[in-house]
Amino acid sequence: MVNKRLLQQVVRLVLVFAGINVIWYLAFLLMNHPILPSPLTVYRAMFELGAGNIALNVGYSLMRIFAGVAVALVLGLLVGLLMGRSPLWNRLLDPVVYLTYPVPKIALLPVVMLFFGLGETSKILMIMLILLFQVIISVRDGVKAIPASTYDVLTSIGANAAQKFWNVTLPGALSVILSTIRISLGTAISVLFFTEIYGTEHGMGFFIMDAWLRLDYPEMYAGIMLFSLVGFVLFLLVDLLDYKFMKWRNQ
């Protein structure tokens, strides 16, 4: 059953990918302009980039994404659990979260760069800011939604606090964390693109903008395709984690 569902998903992805390329090729024929090369030209440019060049730029981007996500998860999980399990801390931190959450994080990019420079710290920090407050709110709400009777059952069989956390609290929090990451990942990657324009010589954002400035449109689109592929692989990774650790939700 799982293999059949997986095969159907792969077939749908292939059909959508083929449809996008058909539309792209038709647009290329209609425009007949160098700013929109054909799909074959872009794919040829992608394969001509070289494995080393691709690995270098994609590696830098992935490092920044993983570092930002990791920091956001650690801080968001700790604060979200604290707010979800403690009414006192929830009352203290709730106004802080709700006042700072609506602030558009991309607008903070100049401020972050002023304080932390143009290096890796500001890039990782921006990704972390995008995810942090969503993780906090999701974890807090997920933990608060766990029925108290669930903990009572474990208490009746002699479970300690660590066992309650591992068997009830963490699964409840992990479920909403994965959903939050899946929703926020696209925004985080978009922010990474803007941060990689400044103060760096590596990363997919820098690669795309460099090709654009050189008017190398096939290479520019090749970079966009690679950046999109990075996002797609990260989405698949989140889905894999969801399937592995949330099997009870996929029944």
Side-chain angles (χ1 to χ4, degrees), residues 19-228:
I20 292 174
N21 280 272
V22 169
I23 296 172
W24 181 359
Y25 185 71
L26 292 175
F28 158 74
L29 293 177
L30 291 173
M31 288 191 65
N32 191 26
H33 196 281
I35 63 172
L36 183 62
S38 71
L40 291 177
T41 302
V42 172
Y43 294 137
R44 190 182 305 116
M46 186 185 302
F47 285 112
E48 290 174 354
L49 291 177
N53 193 15
I54 293 175
L56 181 65
N57 289 287
V58 171
Y60 267 89
S61 293
L62 284 176
M63 181 273 293
R64 292 159 183 156
I65 292 173
F66 283 132
V69 170
V71 175
L73 286 180
V74 172
L75 295 179
L77 183 61
L78 292 175
V79 176
L81 288 172
L82 189 63
M83 295 176 67
R85 295 293 295 156
S86 171
L88 173 61
W89 279 105
N90 186 56
R91 286 195 299 270
L92 291 174
L93 296 176
D94 190 65
V96 178
V97 172
Y98 273 89
L99 283 174
T100 53
Y101 177 67
V103 177
K105 307 305 180 292
I106 190 63
L108 297 176
L109 179 58
V111 179
V112 172
M113 287 185 170
L114 282 174
F115 279 92
F116 297 94
L118 302 178
E120 299 300 323
T121 303
S122 60
K123 296 171 176 56
I124 294 171
L125 187 59
M126 283 303 303
I127 297 174
M128 183 272 289
L129 287 174
I130 291 292
L131 294 172
L132 177 62
F133 294 97
Q134 298 184 51
V135 172
I136 290 174
I137 294 175
S138 298
V139 170
R140 183 205 62 180
D141 293 345
V143 171
K144 289 175 68 175
I146 298 174
S149 58
T150 307
Y151 294 101
D152 295 337
V153 171
L154 291 179
T155 301
S156 66
I157 61 175
N160 56 35
Q163 291 171 326
K164 293 177 184 178
F165 172 80
W166 185 259
N167 292 285
V168 177
T169 307
L170 185 59
L174 185 60
S175 174
V176 293
I177 284 176
L178 291 174
S179 298
T180 300
I181 292 176
R182 187 182 289 109
I183 295 170
S184 306
L185 205 52
T187 307
I189 293 174
S190 300
V191 171
L192 176 66
F193 173 80
F194 285 104
T195 62
E196 287 185 335
I197 296 174
Y198 307 100
T200 184
E201 295 182 354
H202 303 293
M204 292 310 302
F206 169 82
F207 179 87
I208 293 169
M209 292 302 295
D210 179 65
W212 175 62
L213 292 172
R214 291 186 285 105
L215 303 182
D216 190 341
Y217 298 118
E219 190 170 293
M220 181 189 75
Y221 283 99
I224 294 172
M225 294 290 292
L226 285 172
F227 210 10
S228 302

